[in-house]
Amino acid sequence: MGGAARLSAPQALVLWAALGAAAHIGPAPDPEDWWSYKENLQGNFVPDELSISQDQHGRSCLVQSICVPTGPPFWGLVNAAWSLCAVGKRQSPVDVELKRVLYDPFLPPLRLSTGGEKLRGTLYNTGRHVSFLPAPRPVVNVSGGPLLYSHRLSELRLLFGARDGAGSEHQINHQGFSAEVQLIHFNQELYGNLSAASRGPNGLAILSLFVNVAGSSNPFLSRLLNRDTITRISYKNDAYFLQDLSLELLFPESFGFITYQGSLSTPPCSETVTWILIDRTLNVTSLQIFQSLSGNGRPLQPLAHRALRGNRDPRHPERRCRGPNYRLHVDGGPHGR
């Protein structure tokens, strides 16, 4: 569970030889297809003119036994723009050891703004994730907590595993969860879009909520993951429009959070992310959705000397999640939610 793997010189030469071969035969591949969560080559990276076989390790091989690994340890090698995936010092996800979390009494509560409107958007099977892409209106913003600026919601992403308890990217005290919901936001006060924000300081904020399988189900996730909805996005690039969603229902009634400075957990691994991990889990009745998309997370990265801050005081556990600082403040929402 450490950092990115290092290639030997011969391995690197083989990799770049394969990339060169792919670059000169047929149409130029889309860089978005150059990475996967598994070792196998995915998508349309290899042109149809090249024959592909599998080696004994399950890697995809081009002609003349040139095998191209595209899993997480190699993201920083297949594209120079993704070099931080290999050499970055503030990478995500991480394992959060609670004993290392520093209590910060000056962290304000999180605030959600939806303009008083219901959320609508497109549920999309990307081939790697189940993503919800909100419509341009209403604009959904998050602020407060460790954030100095207002950040606009760009995507809700669901990551889950092939079995219960092993689907989240982040871990708490070496424990994983069945799934992790990531709400990806960009700093709308400094940048015009997600792409620009990912390259600048204070650019991105990602809220993570952990999910376990239990007898009850979170009402927001129930709308996204019910059988009727999921059957409409069974294949890659399938999409389905949803509306009348109340995003505040995704959050627990009360919660604490832990924050740290990290990176995108997908290429280009930009180190411009303020992560906010909600410390109270959500429940769903089942996560048996897409077996082909399970295990869609990056391995843990070293925390090193980065600070972990939290808004609850470990010296007074009886006060945990009580009071207005442990509730989501929704502009225009009922009961301070």
Side-chain angles (χ1 to χ4, degrees):
M1 295 284 192
R6 298 287 188 258
L7 285 183
S8 65
Q11 288 174 317
L13 287 175
V14 168
L15 177 61
W16 289 116
L19 297 181
H24 289 90
I25 302 177
D30 184 350
E32 178 58 24
D33 291 329
W34 293 4
W35 68 275
S36 71
Y37 287 113
K38 301 176 176 64
E39 289 299 317
N40 293 7
L41 194 63
Q42 302 289 325
N44 301 319
F45 176 76
V46 181
D48 294 337
E49 291 86 346
L50 290 179
S51 62
I52 304 175
S53 61
Q54 296 288 325
D55 72 356
Q56 61 181 338
H57 303 293
R59 296 173 299 184
S60 295
C61 303
L62 308 186
V63 289
Q64 299 178 344
S65 299
I66 299 176
C67 302
V68 184
T70 58
F74 303 94
W75 291 350
L77 298 170
V78 298
N79 187 345
W82 303 345
S83 61
L84 281 174
C85 299
V87 302
K89 303 301 183 185
R90 296 191 303 165
Q91 292 293 292
S92 299
V94 300
D95 178 27
V96 173
E97 294 185 67
L98 294 180
K99 65 182 181 182
R100 296 187 58 177
V101 177
L102 302 175
Y103 170 55
D104 186 345
F106 299 104
L107 285 170
L110 292 175
R111 182 171 296 277
L112 179 72
S113 174
T114 63
E117 298 183 51
K118 298 283 189 178
L119 188 64
R120 55 183 180 271
T122 302
L123 195 65
Y124 180 52
N125 181 345
T126 71
R128 295 190 180 98
H129 310 104
V130 177
S131 290
F132 178 78
L133 306 175
R137 293 288 184 273
V139 174
V140 177
N141 300 323
V142 66
S143 57
L147 304 176
L148 302 177
Y149 302 90
S150 175
H151 287 65
R152 177 173 176 172
L153 179 64
S154 178
E155 178 187 353
L156 182 151
R157 181 178 296 171
L158 177 65
L159 305 102
F160 55 94
R163 67 183 191 279
D164 294 345
S168 63
E169 285 194 312
H170 287 84
Q171 293 185 9
I172 305 293
N173 280 347
H174 317 299
Q175 175 189 346
F177 302 86
S178 297
E180 183 173 337
V181 180
Q182 297 178 353
L183 291 90
I184 303 170
H185 307 74
F186 70 90
N187 185 334
Q188 65 174 1
E189 296 187 48
L190 298 183
Y191 306 99
N193 53 55
L194 182 72
S195 178
S198 69
R199 299 190 295 269
N202 296 307
L204 304 176
I206 302 181
L207 273 64
S208 275
L209 297 103
F210 301 114
V211 181
N212 281 325
V213 176
S216 59
S217 192
N218 176 271
F220 185 89
L221 291 179
S222 293
R223 284 289 311 277
L224 265 62
L225 303 179
N226 66 71
R227 183 177 298 275
D228 178 64
T229 300
I230 289 304
T231 55
R232 299 173 186 267
I233 58 166
S234 299
Y235 301 99
K236 180 179 179 180
N237 296 327
D238 281 352
Y240 181 59
F241 187 77
L242 292 169
Q243 55 187 347
D244 295 326
L245 298 169
S246 298
L247 185 60
E248 60 268 26
L249 296 180
L250 175 63
F251 292 82
E253 280 288 337
S254 60
F255 56 86
F257 60 81
I258 299 164
T259 182
Y260 77 98
Q261 296 301 309
S263 74
L264 290 172
S265 58
T266 58
C269 304
S270 307
E271 296 182 335
T272 59
V273 180
T274 298
W275 283 89
I276 303 172
L277 312 179
I278 305 301
D279 71 357
R280 180 163 291 188
T281 59
L282 309 177
N283 291 332
V284 293
T285 54
S286 175
L287 275 171
Q288 302 302 315
I289 351 175
F290 302 106
Q291 189 67 28
S292 62
L293 292 181
S294 64
N296 55 350
R298 187 187 190 190
L300 293 172
Q301 304 297 303
L303 179 65
H305 300 293
R306 282 178 284 175
L308 296 167
R309 292 187 295 150
N311 72 333
R312 61 182 179 90
D313 190 348
R315 298 170 299 178
H316 301 285
E318 74 281 0
R319 298 179 187 172
R320 180 183 179 184
C321 298
R322 295 181 180 178
N325 277 359
Y326 301 106
R327 291 182 178 273
L328 181 72
H329 290 239
V330 181
D331 292 348
H335 309 302
R337 284 209 68 193

